Amino acid sequence: MLDSSILMPDLTQAAGWMPIVFLVVMGLAMLAYVILDGYDLGVGVLMRRASDDDKDTMIASIGPFWDANETWLVLGVGIMLTVFPLAHGVILGALYLPVAMMLIGLTLRGVAFDFRVKARAAHKPLWNRLFYTGSLLASWSQGYMLGSLITGFASDWWVMAFNGLIGLALVAAYCLLGAGWLIIKSEGELQMKAVRWARASLLFTMAGIAAISIATPLVSQSIFEKWFSFPNIVLLLPIPAATAVLFAVIYRSLQRLPVRLAQGNEYGAWVPFGATVGVFLLAFYGLAYSLFPWLVIDRITVWQAATAPEAMGVILVGAAVVLPMIIGYTVFAYRVFWGKSTALKY
């Protein structure tokens, strides 16, 4: 057992509260990335099922936003690198291969996004396939990394199989987000296709959330006790209950939307996307509660991984300048480019 002072130092001192501040900022940055870049990764994966005309509209729906969406990943990883260097070394060392795969996928997406619009007609299908491949590779890699984080970076074959399944589940969750986004941003046949795509992604997303919820308490006795000791089990019951309600709302909405959309009625078109965002928020809250104060389960706490308070003070000033700029630009972009999308033209 670790000494209690290691797990919870004096929070009145900079060495106590600064790591928590940065942990919150890093966690929220990662959450923003998963939701915002998650839907455009999902749109990229769904492109494989779309017609050529629909592909142009799908790209247009994410075109003004996707660069800003990826900024949150840079912010989150940057905080881990500068504020939690010990954890950064352990985590990135254990996840070297999936991180490399994710970067390859994101690079493919970036190149294909620009080249597909300007390429000759004969080459455009190739760039569409590369955009799909990059989206799929980045999505699956992120899910694999999530599975590795939950299992404490173990390397047993069954753990790697579990991580791979979580990767597929995250791909499905991103597709559900992407389909919900397209329901809001598109119209006509593409909008109806998006409803069908959302239905196809829903069940596997539910299975992934269930697998993570079951596996997380099993990998650590301390996490198990946080969830299943009394009265915690009663106080935390609203989290899985609310998640189940949101999934039911998504399912019911997807059953009703085809009739409404066929009548030109957009009422409730935002529900699948909004409810899916709610599921992500609840899943993030549950995972954060499970892991805190560990950055690496049962190995490295947030305070053990943190750099010197003097260095954190300098980084905090920089974060106080950069974070409002990122938020402001993101809000501005979504406000300016809100509305239905049409085919992207140059």
Side-chain angles (χ1 to χ4, degrees):
M1 293 290 292
L2 289 174
D3 186 84
S4 60
S5 63
I6 296 178
L7 288 177
M8 187 62 70
D10 184 2
L11 297 183
T12 64
Q13 302 296 318
W17 63 264
M18 272 192 179
I20 296 179
V21 170
F22 280 109
L23 181 67
V24 171
V25 174
M26 182 179 71
L28 293 178
M30 291 301 189
L31 175 63
Y33 171 77
V34 166
I35 293 174
L36 297 179
D37 204 44
Y39 77 73
D40 68 54
L41 284 167
V43 170
V45 175
L46 292 172
M47 278 182 62
R48 185 172 178 271
R49 308 181 186 182
S51 65
D52 289 339
D53 289 339
D54 286 343
K55 286 182 173 70
D56 290 336
T57 304
M58 293 167 73
I59 289 291
S61 75
I62 63 175
F65 312 111
W66 77 296
D67 279 330
N69 293 344
E70 291 184 348
T71 306
W72 294 103
L73 177 63
V74 177
L75 176 63
V77 174
I79 289 176
M80 178 176 287
L81 174 62
T82 56
V83 180
F84 306 111
L86 177 60
H88 180 273
V90 172
I91 294 172
L92 269 293
L95 299 177
Y96 185 86
L97 185 58
V99 167
M101 294 172 64
M102 180 186 73
L103 294 177
I104 291 172
L106 294 177
T107 301
L108 281 177
R109 274 168 50 87
V111 173
F113 182 89
D114 288 324
F115 275 71
R116 68 174 297 280
V117 180
K118 303 173 184 178
R120 296 176 181 177
H123 297 156
K124 190 173 180 179
L126 171 63
W127 294 113
N128 285 334
R129 286 193 294 271
L130 288 176
F131 191 83
Y132 159 76
T133 301
S135 301
L136 180 62
L137 187 60
S139 302
W140 182 85
S141 300
Q142 291 172 18
Y144 188 95
M145 288 187 280
L146 174 61
S148 297
L149 177 66
I150 292 169
T151 54
F153 308 108
S155 56
D156 299 331
W157 68 267
W158 69 268
V159 172
M160 291 188 288
F162 172 81
N163 298 344
L165 288 174
I166 296 301
L168 293 177
L170 188 63
V171 172
Y174 281 171
C175 287
L176 181 59
L177 265 178
W181 177 256
L182 290 174
I183 293 172
I184 298 172
K185 297 288 287 183
S186 64
E187 51 192 353
E189 181 59 28
L190 177 57
Q191 193 177 38
M192 299 297 285
K193 288 180 182 177
V195 174
R196 295 195 293 271
W197 294 337
R199 285 180 184 171
S201 305
L202 181 58
L203 183 60
F204 207 6
T205 302
M206 294 170 62
I209 294 290
I212 292 173
S213 301
I214 293 171
T216 304
L218 295 180
V219 299
S220 169
Q221 181 64 29
S222 61
I223 295 176
F224 184 90
E225 292 174 356
K226 286 174 74 172
W227 278 95
F228 295 104
S229 61
F230 188 83
N232 291 8
I233 189 171
V234 177
L235 298 175
L236 295 170
L237 186 60
I239 297 176
T243 302
V245 169
L246 286 175
F247 275 127
V249 169
I250 296 170
Y251 176 81
R252 188 174 180 84
S253 176
L254 294 175
Q255 295 297 113
R256 292 181 170 185
L257 273 176
V259 176
R260 290 177 180 165
L261 296 177
Q263 298 170 347
N265 183 3
E266 291 277 335
Y267 178 79
W270 59 271
V271 171
F273 182 81
T276 304
V277 170
V279 169
F280 272 81
L281 292 173
L282 288 170
F284 173 80
Y285 178 80
L287 187 62
Y289 172 80
S290 297
L291 297 182
F292 184 81
W294 304 103
L295 285 177
V296 179
I297 294 178
D298 294 336
R299 291 167 59 187
I300 303 175
T301 68
V302 59
W303 296 284
Q304 291 171 326
T307 189
E310 294 79 8
M312 285 190 286
V314 175
I315 300 168
L316 186 61
V317 173
V321 174
V322 172
L323 189 58
M325 295 175 63
I326 297 175
I327 294 173
Y329 172 76
T330 301
V331 172
F332 177 77
Y334 278 86
R335 181 177 178 181
V336 170
F337 294 103
W338 193 253
K340 297 293 184 180
S341 299
T342 55
L344 188 62
K345 305 286 185 185
Y346 278 81

